[in-house]
């Protein structure tokens, strides 16, 4: 828009029956930031809140398509992360294998509420995309980092860096109720306490193994399990999840950007 390359979009700026703007937010924000008027635009009013974001235009529109039209960065990854966020708000994360279980207008609303912080999680993971190629989907990692970081900033950053790079992973020494990193000079036998693989190591071992083939549901379950253990400093011998098991819940206290908005996402 700053360069004068704006063209009239067939995608309408839309208002619902209560006068709320439900489509075109980012185009209007771009116009304000560029200090340029939008001289020609389609405008629709009186629509139900969900109407425009779930409409088809010739071909079926994905959440990423809508986010791209609205001017969001990383629309493909952002759409996948926001779908997971909506499923989390609805307590349905076990449905992450099913791509069409979230309404598009909820995905777009989640994005409007959570950027730019969501971008930071996506970009942090994106720097190491080769490390995840053919294994754990990047969107699952970005989603969990975004979800855990408000309550567990340092633990979220360290865990993600460890599973992506392998750097900083150390065994844990458990003595009574105390959990401490094993000194580098020590071997697997210590004078006091038991030695366990860290949760980050348990997950990274699956990421780097050529023999592991898992569904999105199983990867997300392993990711949440290991993240919870990392935050709690709780040692375990292995990651395990079967579809018949209860799906693990992320141990987070809430998302600041979604305060008072979960009802809309649900």
């Amino acid at each position: 828009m700053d360069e004068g390359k704006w063209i009239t979009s067939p995608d309408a700026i839309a208002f619902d029956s209560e006068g709320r703007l439900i489509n075109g937010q980012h185009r209007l924000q771009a116009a304000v930031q560029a200090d340029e008027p939008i001289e020609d635009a389609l405008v629709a009013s009186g629509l139900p809140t969900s109407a425009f974001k779930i409409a088809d235009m010739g071909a079926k529109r994905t959440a990423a398509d809508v986010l791209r039209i609205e001017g969001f960065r990383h629309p493909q990854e952002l759409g996948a992360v926001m779908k997971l966020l909506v499923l989390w708000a609805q307590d349905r994360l076990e449905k992450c294998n099913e791509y069409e279980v979230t309404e598009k207008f909820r995905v777009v609303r989640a994005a409007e509420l959570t950027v730019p912080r969501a971008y930071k999680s996506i970009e942090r993971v994106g720097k190491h995309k080769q490390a995840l190629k053919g294994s754990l989907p990047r969107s699952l990692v970005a989603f969990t980092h975004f979800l855990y970081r408000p309550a567990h900033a340092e633990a979220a950053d360290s865990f993600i860096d460890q599973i992506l790079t392998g750097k900083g992973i150390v065994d844990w020494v458990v003595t009574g109720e105390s959990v401490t990193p094993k000194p580098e000079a020590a071997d697997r036998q210590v004078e006091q306490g038991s030695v366990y693989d860290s949760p980050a190591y348990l997950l990274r071992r699956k990421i780097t193994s050529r023999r592991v083939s898992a569904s999105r549901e199983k990867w997300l379950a392993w990711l949440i399990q290991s993240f919870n253990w990392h935050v709690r400093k709780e040692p375990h011998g292995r990651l395990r999840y079967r579809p018949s098991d209860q799906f693990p819940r992320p141990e987070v206290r809430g998302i600041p950007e979604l305060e008072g908005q979960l009802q809309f996402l649900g």
Side-chain angles (χ1 to χ4, degrees), residues 234-245:
E234 183 177 300
H236 287 264
R238 61 183 297 189
L239 290 167
R240 177 183 294 178
Y241 175 76
R242 295 169 297 186
S244 58
D245 294 340

Side-chain angles (χ1 to χ4, degrees), residues 76-88 92-102 132 134-144 203 212-225 241-243 247-248:
Q76 200 72 37
E77 285 293 307
L78 184 63
V81 171
M82 292 301 106
K83 285 181 182 181
L84 291 165
L85 190 60
V86 172
L87 289 175
W88 170 77
R92 295 196 301 147
L93 277 176
E94 71 279 2
K95 299 294 186 182
C96 64
N97 277 343
E98 303 173 25
Y99 283 89
E100 297 302 324
V101 296
T102 53
L132 297 172
S135 60
L136 174 56
R138 297 199 310 271
S139 60
L140 301 186
V141 183
F143 161 69
T144 49
L203 184 59
V212 173
S213 177
S215 65
R216 284 173 61 87
E217 178 187 354
K218 182 171 282 189
W219 275 120
L220 183 57
W222 286 337
L223 187 52
I224 292 171
Q225 280 179 346
Y241 175 76
R242 295 169 297 186
F247 198 83

